[in-house]
């Protein structure tokens, strides 16, 4: 500690002639350069994963798209041909959509081991979202951030060894009841596939 203080003082004394000691400002410069490097290539920001949603009879009813963003991921959901009203929508932990019940997708994606629901004091699952509102014409859309998640790599990776799926439920998510918000049957499912755009 004493050495650092003495060296800093010496540095300050000869500041006009230049000083080779590593300083906090030097480190900040290095960090800035490191952060800019991936952006230059433009590839990291372009990564995404898409789940094509299908009902039990194989009808295409929209798409859930997840893209990387600063500090996590971003979900963009859009559906057509769905029953009007509120529907629970979640990311489920296994990338498998076996009709007709889609139970193969497993429980909610929950890498941080929380309880279900945005209104739950012990929540929420990383794959929890607000309800999807489907209009009278059967269309609906939603966009939400998923903070702290990654597409690949790290403890909160969406595309882990068994992948992930997106599920639309028949009923409304009460945002409280563990583990699934009492949102009823699974009426549409899509497996997330990595895409580059
Ligand atoms: Cu669900």
């Amino acid at each position: 500690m004493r050495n650092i203080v003495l060296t800093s003082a010496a540095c300050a004394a000869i500041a006009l002639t230049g000083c080779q000691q590593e300083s906090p400002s030097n480190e900040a410069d290095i960090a800035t350069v490191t952060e800019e490097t991936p952006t230059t290539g433009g590839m990291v920001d372009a990564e995404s994963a898409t789940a094509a949603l299908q009902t039990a009879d194989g009808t295409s009813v929209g798409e859930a798209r997840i893209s990387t963003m600063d500090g996590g991921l971003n979900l963009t959901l859009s559906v057509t041909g769905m029953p009007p009203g509120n529907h629970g929508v979640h990311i489920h932990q296994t990338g498998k959509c076996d009709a007709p019940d889609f139970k193969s997708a497993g429980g909610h994606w929950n890498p941080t081991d929380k309880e279900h629901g945005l209104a739950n004091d012990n929540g929420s699952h990383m794959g929890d979202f607000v309800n999807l509102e489907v209009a009278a014409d059967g269309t609906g859309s939603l966009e939400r951030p998923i903070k702290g998640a990654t597409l690949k790599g790290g403890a909160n990776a969406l595309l882990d060894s068994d992948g992930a799926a997106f599920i639309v439920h028949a009923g409304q998510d009460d945002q409280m009841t563990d583990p699934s918000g009492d949102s009823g049957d699974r009426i549409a499912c899509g497996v997330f596939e990595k895409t580059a755009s």
Side-chain angles (χ1 to χ4, degrees):
M1 192 60 190
R2 178 189 284 180
N3 277 345
I4 291 168
V5 172
L6 288 174
T7 310
S8 295
C11 255
I14 58 166
L16 288 175
T17 57
C19 176
Q20 298 304 313
Q21 185 200 23
E22 282 189 35
S23 69
S25 63
N26 280 344
E27 287 172 18
D29 287 345
I30 291 165
T32 303
V33 170
T34 305
E35 276 175 9
E36 284 172 356
T37 305
T39 312
T40 308
M43 295 306 290
V44 170
D45 287 343
E47 286 187 340
S48 61
T50 302
L53 303 175
Q54 292 194 336
T55 58
D57 66 4
T59 305
S60 293
V61 288
E63 179 182 280
R65 190 166 186 277
I66 286 181
S67 52
T68 53
M69 62 169 224
D70 204 20
L73 299 174
N74 192 50
L75 166 78
T76 312
L77 170 65
S78 119
V79 302
T80 58
M82 292 263 91
N86 286 340
H87 297 270
V89 291
H90 319 112
I91 296 171
H92 285 241
Q93 64 186 356
T94 306
K96 205 159 192 296
C97 290
D98 291 345
D101 60 14
F102 302 128
K103 293 249 168 71
S104 56
H108 291 180
W109 180 50
N110 183 25
T112 54
D113 200 23
K114 300 280 185 66
E115 290 183 11
H116 171 75
L118 302 179
N120 185 331
D121 286 342
N122 299 315
S124 56
H125 297 152
M126 205 155 247
D128 285 348
F129 301 101
V130 296
N131 280 281
L132 169 69
E133 289 182 42
V134 175
D137 66 358
T139 67
S141 63
L142 193 65
E143 183 173 0
R144 306 296 289 184
I146 312 169
K147 288 176 187 159
T150 62
L151 269 186
K152 287 205 127 190
N156 301 334
L158 178 78
L159 300 175
D160 57 3
S161 59
D162 64 355
F166 196 87
I167 296 267
V168 180
H169 290 264
Q172 175 167 310
D173 185 338
D174 66 14
Q175 302 294 350
M176 182 67 76
T177 306
D178 199 53
S180 62
D182 199 22
S183 50
D185 290 344
R186 305 173 179 194
I187 59 172
C189 186
V191 175
F192 281 107
E193 311 275 2
K194 196 156 182 292
T195 48
S197 57

